[in-house]
Amino acid sequence: MTAATDEKSKLKYFRVLLKISGEALMGSRPFGHDIEVIDQLCKGIADVYKLGVQVCIVVGGGNIFRGSSSASLSSCERASSDYIGMLATIINALTLQNFLEKNSVNSRVLSAIPMTTICEPYIREKAIRHLEKGRVVIFAAGTGNPFFTTDTAAALRAIEMNCDVILKGTQVNGVYSADPEENEDAIMYDRLSYMDLLTRDLKIMDASAVSLARENSIPIIVFSLKGEKIVNIIKGLGTYTIVLSGCKR
Ligand code: UDP
């Protein structure tokens, strides 16, 4: 067995959806992009890609604009604010694509809001073809609808693409009973059920995203983008919380 086939035999998931929040792209900056952080993140994605895993990405826009908070601060209607938020996710998607290509990863951006001079419009069949041809697919503009979030877009696209798992990269290494920064007694869960997430208001993903994942039995893995290599997560190694159906706690 060659080293490469040995590595591949350790994989638990073959088509994954990685949800990256906008905040993960800004490092310690208050806003925007931290180029080094983005490059490191894309190197981690390249490691997974080189093993032949089919990777879908949904990126948020919170590092640039978040509709709900901006609507309450300005006189903008919520729907207009949300459209601006979706445009922010396109900026992030194009940035990620650039850094992926720099790391020798073929990728395409598909936007739920057509913007045909800079990226492709989202067409499900096309997205699947890109994955089959060995390209990372970055889904931009969330669901394309106001009043939703990119977490819901992540669940939706993961189901449409028949992904094996949703990888929710966060700033913490899993789901805790309370905010670990504020409460030193907070415990981290290894496993949770979808109902646990919904009924305990654990605030890791919004309820519509969790409900979609639950109805379609797609596991959600919550892990730290800073603290854990994505390639380890795909091998079932490292620290994370997995959310599954029928999991007793
Ligand atoms: N958004 C939206 N519909 C969607 C996805 C996103 O209206 O389907 C808007 C919404 O205003 C949101 C912003 O885009 O606040 C950025 O997305 P999100 O807050 O999910 O980004 P993240 O928190 O992951 O950085």
Side-chain angles (χ1 to χ4, degrees):
M1 197 186 270
T2 65
T5 40
D6 186 33
E7 279 296 287
K8 278 188 188 171
S9 68
K10 294 178 188 157
L11 298 175
K12 275 191 82 174
Y13 307 106
F14 301 93
R15 183 178 286 179
V16 303
L17 186 135
L18 176 64
K19 164 70 207 300
I20 304 170
S21 71
E23 277 176 13
L25 308 184
M26 65 188 196
S28 53
R29 289 163 184 256
F31 172 84
H33 294 148
D34 181 322
I35 298 308
E36 269 173 36
V37 166
I38 298 174
D39 194 46
Q40 273 308 112
L41 173 63
C42 290
K43 284 190 165 58
I45 298 168
D47 290 342
V48 173
Y49 167 84
K50 283 173 196 153
L51 288 177
V53 176
Q54 295 184 353
V55 183
C56 306
I57 300 175
V58 168
V59 64
N63 56 323
I64 300 172
F65 198 90
R66 196 168 269 131
S68 51
S69 33
S70 301
S72 59
L73 292 174
S74 68
S75 53
C76 254
E77 264 187 65
R78 171 67 193 270
S80 302
S81 285
D82 280 340
Y83 280 114
I84 300 169
M86 285 184 263
L87 295 180
T89 73
I90 301 176
I91 296 174
N92 284 337
L94 293 172
T95 308
L96 275 180
Q97 182 185 31
N98 233 276
F99 280 86
L100 285 173
E101 297 285 339
K102 274 193 187 138
N103 284 288
S104 310
V105 176
N106 285 330
S107 61
R108 293 287 186 277
V109 174
L110 272 61
S111 173
I113 296 176
M115 210 173 269
T116 48
T117 45
I118 53 172
C119 58
E120 295 178 26
Y122 170 67
I123 299 169
R124 180 174 170 272
E125 291 296 323
K126 257 198 140 177
I128 289 174
R129 283 288 289 150
H130 284 315
L131 290 174
E132 289 169 352
K133 285 188 169 178
R135 296 169 186 145
V136 168
V137 177
I138 308 168
F139 297 105
T143 63
N145 299 294
F147 304 101
F148 285 93
T149 65
T150 50
D151 278 353
T152 306
L156 178 66
R157 297 292 184 239
I159 297 159
E160 287 184 280
M161 294 298 117
N162 296 316
C163 290
D164 304 322
V165 67
I166 299 169
L167 306 175
K168 162 96 178 168
T170 69
Q171 309 298 321
V172 283
N173 55 3
V175 184
Y176 283 78
S177 55
D179 185 343
E181 304 248 309
E182 287 171 13
N183 187 337
E184 59 182 32
D185 297 328
I187 53 158
M188 195 195 108
Y189 302 115
D190 293 341
R191 285 170 167 258
L192 283 172
S193 70
Y194 302 105
M195 281 314 278
D196 288 329
L197 274 198
L198 290 170
T199 55
R200 294 182 194 196
D201 196 22
L202 290 168
K203 291 198 170 64
I204 214 64
M205 271 189 140
D206 56 71
S208 43
V210 178
S211 301
L212 264 179
R214 176 174 175 242
E215 277 160 28
N216 293 278
S217 305
I218 180 163
I220 305 168
I221 289 182
V222 181
F223 72 104
S224 162
L225 273 175
K226 274 190 282 184
E228 197 61 73
K229 288 190 170 142
I230 307 169
V231 74
N232 283 344
I233 301 289
I234 286 173
K235 291 177 186 163
L237 305 171
T239 307
Y240 57 81
T241 300
I242 186 161
V243 184
L244 300 157
S245 55
C247 169
K248 294 260 185 311
R249 164 148 301 285

